[in-house]
Amino acid sequence: MKCVQCKQEKLSKEFPPSTITERCQHISSYCLRCLIAQLKDQNKTQRKCPECPAILTPQEVKALELAWDKAPFKIDVNSIGKIQPIIPDNGNITTGEFHVVMLNGQKTTLSLEENKTIIALRSNIFKKLQVNQAKQKLIYNGVELQDTVDRRPGNLSDYKIGPGCHVQLIVVLYNITRAEALKSLVFDLHWGYPANGSQDYLDGSCLLYAGDTFWRKYDYASVYYPSFPHMKHSGDMMDNAKKEGHQRIAAKLDQLPQDVTQLYFVLSSWKSPTIGHFKTPSFKLYDEAQPDKELCTYTIQQAANSQAVILCCVSRAGEGMWQVIQVGKFSAGNANDYDPIEISIGECALHG
């Protein structure tokens, strides 16, 4: 997403996570750095939003300044593993700290002393992040870390992981094998209108990629392509009497072209500035033949302060095989402006 002030492309996390004041009806187009600079240049007795007439209270200004002071180090996921540590002649680094980074940008710091083997690393990730070992896919320098190497326990030193290195953690929620023959994948979304009762849309979108290249999307406007009948979006199904909305996406995985490697499922707010404005939003991702078996679980309330969230990715893992991967990455953008969402997907670096 490009900041309107400095004109630079920024990560979504470099922008305020929600409206800068309750009186704003828009997501900030100023990155946090530029916003703080703008506020500092204003009269301290009456600071206002640089994009609308809304006046900020001293408490709101202080909250923004605190958010800037505590802004986490921005991790470039695309460069994970590309900066190599200095390795001693014996190939072993036993002291120092390294980092495990999830697709949503969450970073956990671990010590090399306590994680000499890949098995120990998986165990400590479970203790710190509660991610089951069987669901952990660990990537460093483009290579997946293996529990065994040459018929012995795999070590971090086998992959030249040393102090300051970043290991990517991909959470595989579900493996779809050829034997399961999952044919029809369904994304089912429900939501209640915002508290003011006005009709609004919580959009469910599916963005298809061929490697790192965007291929096409399915949303309320792009519901069906006659030349590609294997996916369909229901469009908006609104019940004004109950003040509820519903959308559904169906995809026949076994009919998708081999070029399609990822399906990203995204939630975004249409009119309201954030997802948190909607009442009781819920979704299910499931096999149409087994509707009670959910393939992805995510608490939407985690994204209450975000305009959009990339929920998960269904990624091709081989001929007839797929993996459902947890993402949970917040983003700006919506079904009227996918550019920030595509940038956020690119930051995941999850290409087939």
Side-chain angles (χ1 to χ4, degrees), residues 3 5-6 14-21 26 28-42 47-51 56 60-61 64-65 68:
C3 171
Q5 178 68 10
C6 64
E14 295 182 71
F15 289 80
S18 61
T19 57
I20 67 172
T21 170
H26 60 87
S28 176
S29 299
Y30 280 62
C31 70
L32 197 52
R33 181 190 295 274
C34 290
L35 178 60
I36 294 298
Q38 283 281 317
L39 294 176
K40 285 183 177 179
D41 289 341
Q42 294 179 15
R47 289 171 169 170
K48 72 179 190 68
C49 171
E51 300 179 82
L56 279 72
E60 288 168 336
V61 173
L64 286 169
E65 291 174 341
W68 173 243

PDB file of all heavy atoms in Angstrom, residues 3 5-6 14-21 26 28-42 47-51 56 60-61 64-65 68:
ATOM      1  N   CYS A   3       1.754   5.082   0.785  1.00  0.00           N
ATOM      2  CA  CYS A   3       1.412   6.208   1.652  1.00  0.00           C
ATOM      3  C   CYS A   3       1.194   7.443   0.782  1.00  0.00           C
ATOM      4  O   CYS A   3       2.018   7.750  -0.090  1.00  0.00           O
ATOM      5  CB  CYS A   3       2.535   6.449   2.656  1.00  0.00           C
ATOM      6  SG  CYS A   3       2.354   7.973   3.616  1.00  0.00           S
ATOM      7  N   GLN A   5       1.415  10.452   1.619  1.00  0.00           N
ATOM      8  CA  GLN A   5       2.299  11.551   1.993  1.00  0.00           C
ATOM      9  C   GLN A   5       3.718  11.350   1.460  1.00  0.00           C
ATOM     10  O   GLN A   5       4.230  12.177   0.716  1.00  0.00           O
ATOM     11  CB  GLN A   5       2.324  11.710   3.516  1.00  0.00           C
ATOM     12  CG  GLN A   5       3.258  12.796   4.027  1.00  0.00           C
ATOM     13  CD  GLN A   5       2.798  14.197   3.656  1.00  0.00           C
ATOM     14  OE1 GLN A   5       1.680  14.385   3.161  1.00  0.00           O
ATOM     15  NE2 GLN A   5       3.650  15.181   3.877  1.00  0.00           N
ATOM     16  N   CYS A   6       4.342  10.227   1.825  1.00  0.00           N
ATOM     17  CA  CYS A   6       5.728  10.001   1.397  1.00  0.00           C
ATOM     18  C   CYS A   6       5.822   9.302   0.044  1.00  0.00           C
ATOM     19  O   CYS A   6       6.914   9.161  -0.508  1.00  0.00           O
ATOM     20  CB  CYS A   6       6.501   9.216   2.453  1.00  0.00           C
ATOM     21  SG  CYS A   6       5.881   7.537   2.736  1.00  0.00           S
ATOM     22  N   GLU A  14       2.740  -0.981   8.683  1.00  0.00           N
ATOM     23  CA  GLU A  14       3.330   0.342   8.858  1.00  0.00           C
ATOM     24  C   GLU A  14       2.274   1.444   8.853  1.00  0.00           C
ATOM     25  O   GLU A  14       2.603   2.618   8.965  1.00  0.00           O
ATOM     26  CB  GLU A  14       4.374   0.600   7.771  1.00  0.00           C
ATOM     27  CG  GLU A  14       5.575  -0.330   7.854  1.00  0.00           C
ATOM     28  CD  GLU A  14       6.629  -0.033   6.810  1.00  0.00           C
ATOM     29  OE1 GLU A  14       7.303   1.001   6.936  1.00  0.00           O
ATOM     30  OE2 GLU A  14       6.767  -0.832   5.870  1.00  0.00           O
ATOM     31  N   PHE A  15       1.004   1.048   8.715  1.00  0.00           N
ATOM     32  CA  PHE A  15      -0.106   1.991   8.777  1.00  0.00           C
ATOM     33  C   PHE A  15      -0.849   1.801  10.096  1.00  0.00           C
ATOM     34  O   PHE A  15      -0.758   0.733  10.715  1.00  0.00           O
ATOM     35  CB  PHE A  15      -1.067   1.758   7.609  1.00  0.00           C
ATOM     36  CG  PHE A  15      -0.518   2.182   6.275  1.00  0.00           C
ATOM     37  CD1 PHE A  15       0.374   1.376   5.586  1.00  0.00           C
ATOM     38  CD2 PHE A  15      -0.884   3.389   5.714  1.00  0.00           C
ATOM     39  CE1 PHE A  15       0.892   1.757   4.362  1.00  0.00           C
ATOM     40  CE2 PHE A  15      -0.377   3.786   4.483  1.00  0.00           C
ATOM     41  CZ  PHE A  15       0.517   2.968   3.808  1.00  0.00           C
ATOM     42  N   PRO A  16      -1.585   2.813  10.546  1.00  0.00           N
ATOM     43  CA  PRO A  16      -2.405   2.617  11.744  1.00  0.00           C
ATOM     44  C   PRO A  16      -3.331   1.422  11.546  1.00  0.00           C
ATOM     45  O   PRO A  16      -3.894   1.243  10.460  1.00  0.00           O
ATOM     46  CB  PRO A  16      -3.203   3.929  11.844  1.00  0.00           C
ATOM     47  CG  PRO A  16      -2.348   4.939  11.152  1.00  0.00           C
ATOM     48  CD  PRO A  16      -1.688   4.195  10.027  1.00  0.00           C
ATOM     49  N   PRO A  17      -3.504   0.576  12.568  1.00  0.00           N
ATOM     50  CA  PRO A  17      -4.285  -0.647  12.410  1.00  0.00           C
ATOM     51  C   PRO A  17      -5.778  -0.412  12.236  1.00  0.00           C
ATOM     52  O   PRO A  17      -6.505  -1.308  11.835  1.00  0.00           O
ATOM     53  CB  PRO A  17      -4.002  -1.415  13.703  1.00  0.00           C
ATOM     54  CG  PRO A  17      -3.656  -0.359  14.698  1.00  0.00           C
ATOM     55  CD  PRO A  17      -2.930   0.697  13.919  1.00  0.00           C
ATOM     56  N   SER A  18      -6.256   0.798  12.561  1.00  0.00           N
ATOM     57  CA  SER A  18      -7.679   1.102  12.419  1.00  0.00           C
ATOM     58  C   SER A  18      -7.817   2.598  12.170  1.00  0.00           C
ATOM     59  O   SER A  18      -6.835   3.287  11.893  1.00  0.00           O
ATOM     60  CB  SER A  18      -8.441   0.688  13.682  1.00  0.00           C
ATOM     61  OG  SER A  18      -7.963   1.406  14.805  1.00  0.00           O
ATOM     62  N   THR A  19      -9.035   3.111  12.234  1.00  0.00           N
ATOM     63  CA  THR A  19      -9.222   4.554  12.101  1.00  0.00           C
ATOM     64  C   THR A  19      -8.471   5.252  13.228  1.00  0.00           C
ATOM     65  O   THR A  19      -8.403   4.746  14.348  1.00  0.00           O
ATOM     66  CB  THR A  19     -10.716   4.912  12.176  1.00  0.00           C
ATOM     67  OG1 THR A  19     -11.248   4.419  13.411  1.00  0.00           O
ATOM     68  CG2 THR A  19     -11.479   4.293  11.027  1.00  0.00           C
ATOM     69  N   ILE A  20      -7.918   6.435  12.947  1.00  0.00           N
ATOM     70  CA  ILE A  20      -7.086   7.091  13.961  1.00  0.00           C
ATOM     71  C   ILE A  20      -7.930   7.743  15.049  1.00  0.00           C
ATOM     72  O   ILE A  20      -7.417   8.092  16.107  1.00  0.00           O
ATOM     73  CB  ILE A  20      -6.125   8.109  13.317  1.00  0.00           C
ATOM     74  CG1 ILE A  20      -6.889   9.288  12.718  1.00  0.00           C
ATOM     75  CG2 ILE A  20      -5.261   7.438  12.262  1.00  0.00           C
ATOM     76  CD1 ILE A  20      -5.979  10.409  12.237  1.00  0.00           C
ATOM     77  N   THR A  21      -9.214   7.902  14.792  1.00  0.00           N
ATOM     78  CA  THR A  21     -10.153   8.388  15.796  1.00  0.00           C
ATOM     79  C   THR A  21     -11.518   7.792  15.503  1.00  0.00           C
ATOM     80  O   THR A  21     -11.810   7.442  14.351  1.00  0.00           O
ATOM     81  CB  THR A  21     -10.243   9.933  15.804  1.00  0.00           C
ATOM     82  OG1 THR A  21     -11.337  10.333  16.639  1.00  0.00           O
ATOM     83  CG2 THR A  21     -10.468  10.480  14.414  1.00  0.00           C
ATOM     84  N   HIS A  26     -12.848   6.459   7.713  1.00  0.00           N
ATOM     85  CA  HIS A  26     -11.962   5.953   6.666  1.00  0.00           C
ATOM     86  C   HIS A  26     -10.717   5.353   7.304  1.00  0.00           C
ATOM     87  O   HIS A  26     -10.333   5.700   8.419  1.00  0.00           O
ATOM     88  CB  HIS A  26     -11.549   7.090   5.722  1.00  0.00           C
ATOM     89  CG  HIS A  26     -10.812   8.201   6.437  1.00  0.00           C
ATOM     90  ND1 HIS A  26      -9.445   8.185   6.626  1.00  0.00           N
ATOM     91  CD2 HIS A  26     -11.266   9.333   7.047  1.00  0.00           C
ATOM     92  CE1 HIS A  26      -9.081   9.260   7.305  1.00  0.00           C
ATOM     93  NE2 HIS A  26     -10.169   9.978   7.580  1.00  0.00           N
ATOM     94  N   SER A  28      -6.731   5.114   7.422  1.00  0.00           N
ATOM     95  CA  SER A  28      -5.692   6.104   7.156  1.00  0.00           C
ATOM     96  C   SER A  28      -4.891   5.748   5.907  1.00  0.00           C
ATOM     97  O   SER A  28      -4.446   4.614   5.738  1.00  0.00           O
ATOM     98  CB  SER A  28      -4.743   6.211   8.356  1.00  0.00           C
ATOM     99  OG  SER A  28      -3.681   7.103   8.061  1.00  0.00           O
ATOM    100  N   SER A  29      -4.708   6.738   5.035  1.00  0.00           N
ATOM    101  CA  SER A  29      -3.844   6.571   3.862  1.00  0.00           C
ATOM    102  C   SER A  29      -2.430   7.057   4.153  1.00  0.00           C
ATOM    103  O   SER A  29      -1.560   6.999   3.290  1.00  0.00           O
ATOM    104  CB  SER A  29      -4.418   7.346   2.665  1.00  0.00           C
ATOM    105  OG  SER A  29      -5.692   6.860   2.322  1.00  0.00           O
ATOM    106  N   TYR A  30      -2.233   7.576   5.371  1.00  0.00           N
ATOM    107  CA  TYR A  30      -0.907   8.001   5.820  1.00  0.00           C
ATOM    108  C   TYR A  30      -0.263   6.852   6.588  1.00  0.00           C
ATOM    109  O   TYR A  30      -0.908   6.243   7.448  1.00  0.00           O
ATOM    110  CB  TYR A  30      -1.015   9.206   6.757  1.00  0.00           C
ATOM    111  CG  TYR A  30      -1.196  10.544   6.078  1.00  0.00           C
ATOM    112  CD1 TYR A  30      -2.310  10.808   5.300  1.00  0.00           C
ATOM    113  CD2 TYR A  30      -0.251  11.554   6.234  1.00  0.00           C
ATOM    114  CE1 TYR A  30      -2.489  12.039   4.688  1.00  0.00           C
ATOM    115  CE2 TYR A  30      -0.417  12.790   5.631  1.00  0.00           C
ATOM    116  CZ  TYR A  30      -1.538  13.025   4.857  1.00  0.00           C
ATOM    117  OH  TYR A  30      -1.703  14.242   4.253  1.00  0.00           O
ATOM    118  N   CYS A  31       0.992   6.555   6.284  1.00  0.00           N
ATOM    119  CA  CYS A  31       1.696   5.576   7.104  1.00  0.00           C
ATOM    120  C   CYS A  31       1.883   6.167   8.499  1.00  0.00           C
ATOM    121  O   CYS A  31       1.757   7.385   8.695  1.00  0.00           O
ATOM    122  CB  CYS A  31       3.040   5.193   6.480  1.00  0.00           C
ATOM    123  SG  CYS A  31       4.298   6.491   6.507  1.00  0.00           S
ATOM    124  N   LEU A  32       2.171   5.319   9.455  1.00  0.00           N
ATOM    125  CA  LEU A  32       2.267   5.767  10.841  1.00  0.00           C
ATOM    126  C   LEU A  32       3.365   6.816  11.011  1.00  0.00           C
ATOM    127  O   LEU A  32       3.201   7.797  11.741  1.00  0.00           O
ATOM    128  CB  LEU A  32       2.530   4.559  11.745  1.00  0.00           C
ATOM    129  CG  LEU A  32       2.270   4.728  13.246  1.00  0.00           C
ATOM    130  CD1 LEU A  32       0.880   5.278  13.506  1.00  0.00           C
ATOM    131  CD2 LEU A  32       2.448   3.390  13.962  1.00  0.00           C
ATOM    132  N   ARG A  33       4.475   6.629  10.310  1.00  0.00           N
ATOM    133  CA  ARG A  33       5.579   7.596  10.407  1.00  0.00           C
ATOM    134  C   ARG A  33       5.131   8.986   9.951  1.00  0.00           C
ATOM    135  O   ARG A  33       5.351   9.993  10.638  1.00  0.00           O
ATOM    136  CB  ARG A  33       6.762   7.129   9.559  1.00  0.00           C
ATOM    137  CG  ARG A  33       7.974   8.073   9.612  1.00  0.00           C
ATOM    138  CD  ARG A  33       9.004   7.686   8.558  1.00  0.00           C
ATOM    139  NE  ARG A  33       9.571   6.380   8.809  1.00  0.00           N
ATOM    140  CZ  ARG A  33      10.609   6.157   9.601  1.00  0.00           C
ATOM    141  NH1 ARG A  33      11.196   7.167  10.225  1.00  0.00           N
ATOM    142  NH2 ARG A  33      11.068   4.935   9.757  1.00  0.00           N
ATOM    143  N   CYS A  34       4.485   9.049   8.783  1.00  0.00           N
ATOM    144  CA  CYS A  34       4.049  10.340   8.242  1.00  0.00           C
ATOM    145  C   CYS A  34       2.916  10.940   9.069  1.00  0.00           C
ATOM    146  O   CYS A  34       2.830  12.168   9.225  1.00  0.00           O
ATOM    147  CB  CYS A  34       3.610  10.182   6.787  1.00  0.00           C
ATOM    148  SG  CYS A  34       4.972   9.837   5.647  1.00  0.00           S
ATOM    149  N   LEU A  35       2.047  10.081   9.593  1.00  0.00           N
ATOM    150  CA  LEU A  35       0.941  10.571  10.411  1.00  0.00           C
ATOM    151  C   LEU A  35       1.461  11.245  11.678  1.00  0.00           C
ATOM    152  O   LEU A  35       1.020  12.351  12.042  1.00  0.00           O
ATOM    153  CB  LEU A  35       0.010   9.416  10.771  1.00  0.00           C
ATOM    154  CG  LEU A  35      -1.179   9.752  11.673  1.00  0.00           C
ATOM    155  CD1 LEU A  35      -2.077  10.795  11.025  1.00  0.00           C
ATOM    156  CD2 LEU A  35      -1.977   8.496  11.998  1.00  0.00           C
ATOM    157  N   ILE A  36       2.412  10.601  12.344  1.00  0.00           N
ATOM    158  CA  ILE A  36       2.988  11.183  13.558  1.00  0.00           C
ATOM    159  C   ILE A  36       3.677  12.505  13.235  1.00  0.00           C
ATOM    160  O   ILE A  36       3.562  13.493  13.977  1.00  0.00           O
ATOM    161  CB  ILE A  36       3.982  10.198  14.209  1.00  0.00           C
ATOM    162  CG1 ILE A  36       3.240   8.954  14.719  1.00  0.00           C
ATOM    163  CG2 ILE A  36       4.741  10.865  15.343  1.00  0.00           C
ATOM    164  CD1 ILE A  36       2.206   9.233  15.786  1.00  0.00           C
ATOM    165  N   ALA A  37       4.383  12.547  12.109  1.00  0.00           N
ATOM    166  CA  ALA A  37       5.062  13.786  11.705  1.00  0.00           C
ATOM    167  C   ALA A  37       4.048  14.902  11.453  1.00  0.00           C
ATOM    168  O   ALA A  37       4.268  16.059  11.841  1.00  0.00           O
ATOM    169  CB  ALA A  37       5.900  13.539  10.454  1.00  0.00           C
ATOM    170  N   GLN A  38       2.923  14.557  10.820  1.00  0.00           N
ATOM    171  CA  GLN A  38       1.878  15.550  10.559  1.00  0.00           C
ATOM    172  C   GLN A  38       1.293  16.086  11.862  1.00  0.00           C
ATOM    173  O   GLN A  38       1.085  17.291  12.018  1.00  0.00           O
ATOM    174  CB  GLN A  38       0.766  14.911   9.721  1.00  0.00           C
ATOM    175  CG  GLN A  38       1.099  14.756   8.247  1.00  0.00           C
ATOM    176  CD  GLN A  38       0.942  16.058   7.488  1.00  0.00           C
ATOM    177  OE1 GLN A  38      -0.027  16.790   7.693  1.00  0.00           O
ATOM    178  NE2 GLN A  38       1.890  16.355   6.621  1.00  0.00           N
ATOM    179  N   LEU A  39       1.030  15.201  12.796  1.00  0.00           N
ATOM    180  CA  LEU A  39       0.434  15.618  14.064  1.00  0.00           C
ATOM    181  C   LEU A  39       1.391  16.503  14.860  1.00  0.00           C
ATOM    182  O   LEU A  39       0.969  17.451  15.527  1.00  0.00           O
ATOM    183  CB  LEU A  39       0.039  14.386  14.888  1.00  0.00           C
ATOM    184  CG  LEU A  39      -1.094  13.524  14.305  1.00  0.00           C
ATOM    185  CD1 LEU A  39      -1.325  12.289  15.166  1.00  0.00           C
ATOM    186  CD2 LEU A  39      -2.379  14.328  14.178  1.00  0.00           C
ATOM    187  N   LYS A  40       2.684  16.203  14.781  1.00  0.00           N
ATOM    188  CA  LYS A  40       3.667  17.011  15.511  1.00  0.00           C
ATOM    189  C   LYS A  40       3.753  18.427  14.952  1.00  0.00           C
ATOM    190  O   LYS A  40       4.085  19.369  15.672  1.00  0.00           O
ATOM    191  CB  LYS A  40       5.037  16.333  15.456  1.00  0.00           C
ATOM    192  CG  LYS A  40       5.155  15.121  16.371  1.00  0.00           C
ATOM    193  CD  LYS A  40       6.551  14.529  16.339  1.00  0.00           C
ATOM    194  CE  LYS A  40       6.664  13.364  17.318  1.00  0.00           C
ATOM    195  NZ  LYS A  40       8.015  12.743  17.293  1.00  0.00           N
ATOM    196  N   ASP A  41       3.455  18.567  13.658  1.00  0.00           N
ATOM    197  CA  ASP A  41       3.522  19.888  13.028  1.00  0.00           C
ATOM    198  C   ASP A  41       2.282  20.738  13.310  1.00  0.00           C
ATOM    199  O   ASP A  41       2.263  21.932  13.003  1.00  0.00           O
ATOM    200  CB  ASP A  41       3.687  19.740  11.506  1.00  0.00           C
ATOM    201  CG  ASP A  41       5.076  19.240  11.129  1.00  0.00           C
ATOM    202  OD1 ASP A  41       5.988  19.360  11.969  1.00  0.00           O
ATOM    203  OD2 ASP A  41       5.233  18.720  10.008  1.00  0.00           O
ATOM    204  N   GLN A  42       1.242  20.117  13.863  1.00  0.00           N
ATOM    205  CA  GLN A  42      -0.008  20.838  14.099  1.00  0.00           C
ATOM    206  C   GLN A  42      -0.017  21.508  15.474  1.00  0.00           C
ATOM    207  O   GLN A  42       0.801  21.206  16.341  1.00  0.00           O
ATOM    208  CB  GLN A  42      -1.196  19.871  13.985  1.00  0.00           C
ATOM    209  CG  GLN A  42      -1.413  19.300  12.596  1.00  0.00           C
ATOM    210  CD  GLN A  42      -2.589  18.341  12.551  1.00  0.00           C
ATOM    211  OE1 GLN A  42      -3.407  18.295  13.466  1.00  0.00           O
ATOM    212  NE2 GLN A  42      -2.680  17.575  11.470  1.00  0.00           N
ATOM    213  N   ARG A  47      -5.360  19.025  17.371  1.00  0.00           N
ATOM    214  CA  ARG A  47      -4.803  18.211  16.298  1.00  0.00           C
ATOM    215  C   ARG A  47      -5.929  17.466  15.587  1.00  0.00           C
ATOM    216  O   ARG A  47      -6.820  16.914  16.235  1.00  0.00           O
ATOM    217  CB  ARG A  47      -3.789  17.218  16.862  1.00  0.00           C
ATOM    218  CG  ARG A  47      -2.509  17.900  17.332  1.00  0.00           C
ATOM    219  CD  ARG A  47      -1.614  16.953  18.073  1.00  0.00           C
ATOM    220  NE  ARG A  47      -0.301  17.527  18.304  1.00  0.00           N
ATOM    221  CZ  ARG A  47       0.613  16.991  19.090  1.00  0.00           C
ATOM    222  NH1 ARG A  47       0.356  15.866  19.736  1.00  0.00           N
ATOM    223  NH2 ARG A  47       1.783  17.565  19.243  1.00  0.00           N
ATOM    224  N   LYS A  48      -5.862  17.443  14.260  1.00  0.00           N
ATOM    225  CA  LYS A  48      -6.938  16.800  13.512  1.00  0.00           C
ATOM    226  C   LYS A  48      -6.379  15.814  12.500  1.00  0.00           C
ATOM    227  O   LYS A  48      -5.189  15.846  12.153  1.00  0.00           O
ATOM    228  CB  LYS A  48      -7.808  17.836  12.814  1.00  0.00           C
ATOM    229  CG  LYS A  48      -7.180  18.525  11.620  1.00  0.00           C
ATOM    230  CD  LYS A  48      -8.157  19.510  11.009  1.00  0.00           C
ATOM    231  CE  LYS A  48      -7.665  20.044   9.668  1.00  0.00           C
ATOM    232  NZ  LYS A  48      -7.652  19.010   8.610  1.00  0.00           N
ATOM    233  N   CYS A  49      -7.254  14.959  12.042  1.00  0.00           N
ATOM    234  CA  CYS A  49      -6.891  13.988  11.011  1.00  0.00           C
ATOM    235  C   CYS A  49      -6.468  14.742   9.756  1.00  0.00           C
ATOM    236  O   CYS A  49      -7.148  15.681   9.336  1.00  0.00           O
ATOM    237  CB  CYS A  49      -8.086  13.082  10.716  1.00  0.00           C
ATOM    238  SG  CYS A  49      -7.848  12.003   9.283  1.00  0.00           S
ATOM    239  N   PRO A  50      -5.348  14.369   9.134  1.00  0.00           N
ATOM    240  CA  PRO A  50      -4.902  15.079   7.926  1.00  0.00           C
ATOM    241  C   PRO A  50      -5.770  14.813   6.703  1.00  0.00           C
ATOM    242  O   PRO A  50      -5.587  15.455   5.670  1.00  0.00           O
ATOM    243  CB  PRO A  50      -3.479  14.542   7.719  1.00  0.00           C
ATOM    244  CG  PRO A  50      -3.458  13.221   8.381  1.00  0.00           C
ATOM    245  CD  PRO A  50      -4.389  13.327   9.553  1.00  0.00           C
ATOM    246  N   GLU A  51      -6.737  13.879   6.831  1.00  0.00           N
ATOM    247  CA  GLU A  51      -7.553  13.525   5.664  1.00  0.00           C
ATOM    248  C   GLU A  51      -9.026  13.880   5.811  1.00  0.00           C
ATOM    249  O   GLU A  51      -9.788  13.744   4.852  1.00  0.00           O
ATOM    250  CB  GLU A  51      -7.420  12.027   5.386  1.00  0.00           C
ATOM    251  CG  GLU A  51      -5.995  11.594   5.085  1.00  0.00           C
ATOM    252  CD  GLU A  51      -5.895  10.107   4.831  1.00  0.00           C
ATOM    253  OE1 GLU A  51      -6.181   9.690   3.699  1.00  0.00           O
ATOM    254  OE2 GLU A  51      -5.539   9.372   5.769  1.00  0.00           O
ATOM    255  N   LEU A  56      -8.723  15.002  16.966  1.00  0.00           N
ATOM    256  CA  LEU A  56      -8.243  13.936  17.841  1.00  0.00           C
ATOM    257  C   LEU A  56      -8.186  14.425  19.281  1.00  0.00           C
ATOM    258  O   LEU A  56      -7.790  15.566  19.548  1.00  0.00           O
ATOM    259  CB  LEU A  56      -6.847  13.464  17.425  1.00  0.00           C
ATOM    260  CG  LEU A  56      -6.758  12.477  16.255  1.00  0.00           C
ATOM    261  CD1 LEU A  56      -7.059  13.167  14.936  1.00  0.00           C
ATOM    262  CD2 LEU A  56      -5.384  11.826  16.214  1.00  0.00           C
ATOM    263  N   GLU A  60      -6.148  10.059  22.159  1.00  0.00           N
ATOM    264  CA  GLU A  60      -5.971   9.401  20.858  1.00  0.00           C
ATOM    265  C   GLU A  60      -4.601   9.719  20.268  1.00  0.00           C
ATOM    266  O   GLU A  60      -3.953   8.854  19.673  1.00  0.00           O
ATOM    267  CB  GLU A  60      -7.088   9.823  19.904  1.00  0.00           C
ATOM    268  CG  GLU A  60      -8.441   9.218  20.266  1.00  0.00           C
ATOM    269  CD  GLU A  60      -9.599   9.844  19.510  1.00  0.00           C
ATOM    270  OE1 GLU A  60      -9.474  11.010  19.061  1.00  0.00           O
ATOM    271  OE2 GLU A  60     -10.638   9.172  19.369  1.00  0.00           O
ATOM    272  N   VAL A  61      -4.159  10.949  20.442  1.00  0.00           N
ATOM    273  CA  VAL A  61      -2.823  11.326  19.971  1.00  0.00           C
ATOM    274  C   VAL A  61      -1.761  10.527  20.720  1.00  0.00           C
ATOM    275  O   VAL A  61      -0.816   9.997  20.121  1.00  0.00           O
ATOM    276  CB  VAL A  61      -2.583  12.837  20.151  1.00  0.00           C
ATOM    277  CG1 VAL A  61      -1.131  13.191  19.822  1.00  0.00           C
ATOM    278  CG2 VAL A  61      -3.533  13.639  19.271  1.00  0.00           C
ATOM    279  N   LEU A  64      -1.546   6.965  19.470  1.00  0.00           N
ATOM    280  CA  LEU A  64      -0.829   6.861  18.196  1.00  0.00           C
ATOM    281  C   LEU A  64       0.678   6.993  18.407  1.00  0.00           C
ATOM    282  O   LEU A  64       1.471   6.261  17.798  1.00  0.00           O
ATOM    283  CB  LEU A  64      -1.320   7.939  17.231  1.00  0.00           C
ATOM    284  CG  LEU A  64      -2.707   7.716  16.616  1.00  0.00           C
ATOM    285  CD1 LEU A  64      -3.180   8.971  15.902  1.00  0.00           C
ATOM    286  CD2 LEU A  64      -2.685   6.535  15.652  1.00  0.00           C
ATOM    287  N   GLU A  65       1.071   7.927  19.257  1.00  0.00           N
ATOM    288  CA  GLU A  65       2.499   8.104  19.537  1.00  0.00           C
ATOM    289  C   GLU A  65       3.083   6.863  20.204  1.00  0.00           C
ATOM    290  O   GLU A  65       4.211   6.454  19.904  1.00  0.00           O
ATOM    291  CB  GLU A  65       2.706   9.335  20.421  1.00  0.00           C
ATOM    292  CG  GLU A  65       2.413  10.648  19.700  1.00  0.00           C
ATOM    293  CD  GLU A  65       2.485  11.856  20.616  1.00  0.00           C
ATOM    294  OE1 GLU A  65       2.401  11.662  21.857  1.00  0.00           O
ATOM    295  OE2 GLU A  65       2.623  12.987  20.107  1.00  0.00           O
ATOM    296  N   TRP A  68       3.574   4.195  17.625  1.00  0.00           N
ATOM    297  CA  TRP A  68       4.776   4.448  16.828  1.00  0.00           C
ATOM    298  C   TRP A  68       6.032   4.106  17.624  1.00  0.00           C
ATOM    299  O   TRP A  68       6.965   3.489  17.099  1.00  0.00           O
ATOM    300  CB  TRP A  68       4.806   5.903  16.380  1.00  0.00           C
ATOM    301  CG  TRP A  68       6.082   6.296  15.687  1.00  0.00           C
ATOM    302  CD1 TRP A  68       6.994   7.218  16.088  1.00  0.00           C
ATOM    303  CD2 TRP A  68       6.587   5.758  14.464  1.00  0.00           C
ATOM    304  NE1 TRP A  68       8.032   7.294  15.203  1.00  0.00           N
ATOM    305  CE2 TRP A  68       7.810   6.407  14.191  1.00  0.00           C
ATOM    306  CE3 TRP A  68       6.128   4.791  13.576  1.00  0.00           C
ATOM    307  CZ2 TRP A  68       8.574   6.114  13.069  1.00  0.00           C
ATOM    308  CZ3 TRP A  68       6.890   4.497  12.452  1.00  0.00           C
ATOM    309  CH2 TRP A  68       8.091   5.158  12.210  1.00  0.00           C
TER     310      TRP A  68
END
